Amino acid sequence: MKICSSCESEFSCGDISVEKKCWCNDYPPIFSLSEGGDCLCPTCFKEACEDKIDAYVETINPSNAPKNKAISLPKTNTLIEGIDYYIENGNMVFKTWYHLKRGTCCGNNCRHCPY
């Protein structure tokens, strides 16, 4: 068990073996170990990821989108609500981060397309 360095709640890491990694490994690797602090609980970690991604997305425009850093992150099939998409009227709406990870415009006139 660990204590969240943000909200001080107790949570389980889950990192018990090479095969069974922590739940935080499902999130984009956007934090460096040098940023300080200890582990965050799932709620605080997700909020921190959303904040960091939202700040990064604000710097993106059509001219720098094709060379964004999200393209080079390890690919995953796992989509995370609040980071990759949100639900609106029962529909999944992909966020800018999802499009940046894909790396190109799909031509479907997506609402949050950065390209």
Side-chain angles (χ1 to χ4, degrees):
M1 295 304 289
K2 292 193 171 241
I3 302 295
C4 177
S5 62
S6 180
C7 71
E8 299 182 358
S9 66
E10 192 172 336
F11 69 98
S12 174
C13 171
D15 192 9
I16 56 176
S17 71
V18 173
E19 296 83 27
K20 180 147 175 53
K21 288 293 188 181
C22 182
W23 52 264
C24 69
N25 284 303
D26 292 335
Y27 285 81
I30 57 173
F31 294 102
S32 70
L33 296 175
S34 63
E35 290 181 28
D38 198 2
C39 292
L40 297 171
C41 70
T43 300
C44 291
F45 190 82
K46 182 178 179 184
E47 288 174 6
C49 282
E50 289 173 345
D51 290 346
K52 189 157 187 160
I53 288 170
D54 288 346
Y56 175 70
V57 164
E58 288 180 20
T59 69
I60 299 298
N61 58 54
S63 65
N64 66 10
K67 295 183 180 180
N68 79 83
K69 63 183 175 184
I71 296 170
S72 62
L73 294 176
K75 303 298 180 215
T76 177
N77 292 329
T78 305
L79 297 179
I80 302 170
E81 186 173 359
I83 292 178
D84 294 304
Y85 70 95
Y86 59 90
I87 302 296
E88 180 179 88
N89 300 322
N91 296 311
M92 183 184 289
V93 179
F94 291 116
K95 295 179 73 172
T96 304
W97 181 252
Y98 172 84
H99 296 293
L100 290 172
K101 289 191 315 183
R102 188 181 58 234
T104 60
C105 178
C106 65
N108 289 326
N109 218 10
C110 298
R111 182 185 310 173
H112 301 291
C113 182
Y115 297 100

